[in-house]
Amino acid sequence: ISTGLGEDLNKFVRKGGSLVVFPGIDAEINSYNKMFELLGTNNIDALHGGDVPRVVSNNETINTNGTGNSLKSINVNRINIESDVYKEVFDKVSQNMDLPAVYKYYTFTKNTKSGEEGLLILENNNSLLSQYPVGKGKVILCAVPLNTEFSNFPRHAIFVPTLFKIALLASETGKLSYIIGRDESIELQQGQTAGENVFHLIQEANHFDIIPEHRIVNDATVVSLHGQVVQAGNYHLKGDSKKLATYSFNYDRKESDLQCYTGKELEELAAKFRLNNTQIMDTSSPEISKKLLEMESGVHLWKYCIMLTLLFLAFEVLILRLFR
């Protein structure tokens, strides 16, 4: 790995890219380690293993030195199903699960500052596959080349879902929603450039079209809105006559603030603004339900009407008896 290539890969990862490294069979360890030092990952320490084996059927191995004795292999004994790579790929890993076997492998130095996360762990606690956060991106290091003389990992059933999930996680989505009223800036992902033309933020339904300010910060394009978006909705960012991305702008959810006025403060505010038709109720009162019902449907007079009707009937009967 040349110095220039290592520097370019370092810039690529720190800007949000994902890099997967499978060392070569005859890797120049010094050149690899120079790139790893730029990235801040662990360095290759040494190559471990016996004679190079050859894989045959049923995952058996035979020695290439002609003795006929099978070579000793080291198996993966743990999958980090909590990592983002294997999360939702495995619900659980059974003890008798067929996992990759390794015959020769590279070991790496241990640096607590590297942020290493083991993905596939061997029986001797070395990592077959590990992940490192670097800047805005990630580096995934494999301890074996893509060669079946070192491991059956390239032919194992776990290999394809591993690379698929890594590629899926490498797809950049970025921030998709913003809050109106804040001085928001949009940092564009790789490939979202307008060339020599300007950017346009557009919402066709409201005939909204502005040309926001943009500048280059650390090799990344940052679009500044300066509070020009005042209405909630979905907006398209276009450049060079192409739609680059779609963003949602939402109103600030201030109602999530649960602070409230006291009863006395409400009475003062009602008097201040002359709200004469308001009534402040004490929620601690046991008759609160009755008061609310009266406010909603008014005072029920039907009982009084029945009582008066019965009273008048009694008077009528009494008058008829007395004046016959």
Side-chain angles (χ1 to χ4, degrees):
I1 298 177
S2 64
T3 302
L5 176 60
E7 292 177 351
D8 289 341
L9 290 175
N10 179 48
K11 291 179 180 178
F12 167 76
V13 173
R14 293 187 182 278
K15 288 169 61 177
S18 294
L19 175 66
V20 182
V21 179
F22 293 94
I25 297 176
D26 299 317
E28 295 182 6
I29 295 179
N30 290 334
S31 67
Y32 276 78
N33 285 341
K34 287 180 180 179
M35 181 184 69
F36 292 153
E37 288 173 2
L38 290 174
L39 294 167
T41 66
N42 293 337
N43 292 345
I44 295 178
D45 184 24
L47 177 64
H48 289 258
D51 293 336
V52 178
R54 177 170 59 86
V55 177
V56 295
S57 60
N58 298 325
N59 292 327
E60 296 177 352
T61 59
I62 60 172
N63 200 321
T64 56
N65 59 12
T67 62
N69 298 324
S70 60
L71 291 171
K72 183 178 180 180
S73 64
I74 300 176
N75 286 77
V76 172
N77 74 336
R78 184 165 65 89
I79 300 176
N80 185 2
I81 60 175
E82 299 298 324
S83 69
D84 53 359
V85 174
Y86 292 115
K87 187 180 295 184
E88 299 178 356
V89 174
F90 299 98
D91 292 332
K92 61 180 181 178
V93 179
S94 60
Q95 294 182 351
N96 59 351
M97 183 177 179
D98 178 31
L99 296 174
V102 174
Y103 319 112
K104 293 179 66 176
Y105 62 97
Y106 291 98
T107 57
F108 294 84
T109 59
K110 298 297 182 182
N111 184 354
T112 56
K113 296 181 179 180
S114 66
E116 177 187 9
E117 179 185 18
L119 302 178
L120 297 176
I121 314 301
L122 298 173
E123 294 171 331
N124 58 7
N125 290 326
N126 285 315
S127 294
L128 172 61
L129 196 68
S130 54
Q131 178 176 256
Y132 302 81
V134 179
K136 296 181 180 180
K138 292 181 181 180
V139 175
I140 294 90
L141 298 185
C142 188
V144 297
L146 291 176
N147 189 300
T148 54
E149 293 180 344
F150 279 71
S151 171
N152 68 347
F153 180 47
R155 291 185 177 180
H156 197 276
I158 200 176
F159 183 74
V160 172
T162 298
L163 290 192
F164 177 78
K165 191 65 180 292
I166 291 173
L168 190 65
L169 293 171
S171 60
E172 300 166 307
T173 56
K175 188 176 179 181
L176 299 178
S177 63
Y178 297 87
I179 303 299
I180 294 173
R182 302 178 185 177
D183 190 11
E184 298 277 18
S185 295
I186 300 173
E187 183 173 339
L188 302 185
Q189 306 297 329
Q190 296 183 23
Q192 294 179 324
T193 58
E196 298 180 355
N197 298 322
V198 296
F199 292 99
H200 286 259
L201 189 65
I202 299 172
Q203 190 190 49
E204 296 177 354
N206 295 322
H207 306 287
F208 180 89
D209 188 350
I210 63 171
I211 300 176
E213 173 195 353
H214 72 276
R215 61 189 186 278
I216 306 298
V217 180
N218 296 328
D219 296 329
T221 303
V222 178
V223 177
S224 300
L225 302 177
H226 300 299
Q228 296 180 82
V229 177
V230 296
Q231 187 171 355
N234 297 323
Y235 292 78
H236 304 298
L237 184 67
K238 292 187 177 182
D240 198 16
S241 300
K242 297 184 297 183
K243 185 172 75 172
L244 304 177
T246 300
Y247 302 102
S248 294
F249 288 83
N250 304 306
Y251 295 118
D252 198 350
R253 295 186 175 180
K254 293 182 179 180
E255 61 268 21
S256 59
D257 186 358
L258 301 180
Q259 294 182 353
C260 57
Y261 291 106
T262 63
K264 185 178 180 181
E265 290 173 337
L266 289 173
E267 290 176 355
E268 293 174 353
L269 288 172
K272 178 181 178 181
F273 294 101
R274 299 179 180 178
L275 303 176
N276 301 322
N277 294 327
T278 60
Q279 182 179 359
I280 299 173
M281 304 180 63
D282 184 6
T283 56
S284 61
S285 173
E287 298 183 354
I288 182 68
S289 299
K290 182 179 178 181
K291 291 182 179 180
L292 289 174
L293 184 61
E294 290 179 356
M295 291 177 61
E296 181 179 356
S297 57
V299 180
H300 296 284
L301 301 176
W302 60 271
K303 294 180 182 179
Y304 302 103
C305 292
I306 293 175
M307 292 173 62
L308 289 172
T309 301
L310 294 174
L311 182 61
F312 290 144
L313 287 173
F315 282 146
E316 183 180 359
V317 172
L318 183 60
I319 292 172
L320 290 174
R321 288 184 177 182
L322 290 178
F323 293 98
R324 270 186 179 178

